[in-house]
Amino acid sequence: MASELEKLRGELEKLIGELYEGEHKILVHGEGSAGARVMLVGEAPGEQETLQRRPFVGKAGKNLDEFLELAGIDRRELYVSNAVKFRPTKLSAAGRVVNRPPTREEVKLFLPWLKREIALVHPEVVVSLGNVPLRALLGPRCVIGDVHGRFQDAEGVRLYPMYHPASLIYNPSLRAVYAEDVRRLAAWLDGR
Ligand code: URA
């Protein structure tokens, strides 16, 4: 029998297929099992994620893995997902298909599904990575720089905002902050 998460994914496939008929949107669903202690929510899949149909397997995923390892958190203990489940793309000036940030409409479209996914996984903590999932879950005026590394209440869901691992690629000075936020999360998990 299909699990509740599989059913949710099936419903979402159907909806997106209808809404974007003819566009062949490839969805990258969350990975992990219901009951995982920690649920990570990123922004949206990129090229590698779409090719492999798995979240966080590209460059940002490598950064993430590195820090999880530092903190002694095994990726297999996590449920990993994204606020938007398809790759937002645009054409570059050179005519190449490149990533773009998800639009507000795209985030809004997926938000009820993300909330249902969170309810089914029922983690002890949801870790938002970057501003996109943070604002989706906590409100449009939140800024990651103000709330990272501090637990928040998102309509009854315990939320721990962190910077997006991709921001470390562009801003290496964030690495120490990021490492400290991961360390505090790991300490909190250890103490429970
Ligand atoms: N960045 C994200 O936010 N999610 C992914 O799955 C990959 C990169």
Side-chain angles (χ1 to χ4, degrees):
M1 202 182 77
S3 71
E4 292 299 314
L5 276 169
E6 282 163 5
K7 273 193 233 160
L8 184 78
R9 291 168 191 160
E11 280 178 44
L12 186 56
E13 289 282 350
K14 187 162 173 286
L15 173 77
I16 298 298
E18 284 165 7
L19 283 178
Y20 292 87
E21 205 188 333
E23 289 188 47
H24 302 295
K25 291 281 188 201
I26 296 175
L27 296 187
V28 178
H29 295 290
E31 186 175 88
S33 42
R37 294 185 72 195
V38 181
M39 176 168 171
L40 299 185
V41 183
E43 185 172 295
E47 184 181 16
Q48 268 310 312
E49 286 76 19
T50 305
L51 282 171
Q52 297 186 40
R53 299 192 188 208
R54 294 182 58 205
F56 281 103
V57 289
K59 246 194 224 160
K62 297 250 154 51
N63 265 288
L64 184 66
D65 287 345
E66 201 182 296
F67 279 97
L68 291 173
E69 198 179 320
L70 264 184
I73 300 175
D74 188 331
R75 187 160 164 160
R76 284 166 302 186
E77 292 172 35
L78 307 175
Y79 185 95
V80 184
S81 196
N82 280 301
V84 168
K85 306 281 198 271
F86 57 59
R87 180 188 179 202
T89 57
K90 63 177 182 183
L91 278 185
S92 72
R96 287 197 319 120
V97 176
V98 294
N99 294 341
R100 61 165 170 78
T103 63
R104 236 177 279 159
E105 289 69 32
E106 286 164 342
V107 175
K108 207 170 146 195
L109 169 66
F110 283 98
L111 185 57
W113 300 86
L114 175 62
K115 287 185 175 173
R116 284 175 64 190
E117 193 181 16
I118 292 173
L120 289 174
V121 175
H122 197 57
E124 290 170 39
V125 60
V126 171
V127 177
S128 56
L129 300 171
N131 273 321
V132 170
L134 171 68
R135 290 178 180 154
L137 294 168
L138 204 59
R141 273 181 286 279
C142 289
V143 179
I144 185 72
D146 295 341
V147 292
H148 71 91
R150 286 193 281 130
F151 288 97
Q152 310 288 321
D153 178 1
E155 295 175 4
V157 170
R158 185 183 288 113
L159 184 70
Y160 186 80
M162 293 204 351
Y163 282 97
H164 194 285
S167 57
L168 307 175
I169 300 168
Y170 308 110
N171 187 355
S173 65
L174 280 179
R175 291 181 82 83
V177 177
Y178 199 79
E180 175 59 15
D181 288 352
V182 177
R183 195 195 58 71
R184 284 173 60 188
L185 176 66
W188 179 82
L189 286 165
D190 270 354
R192 283 171 71 84

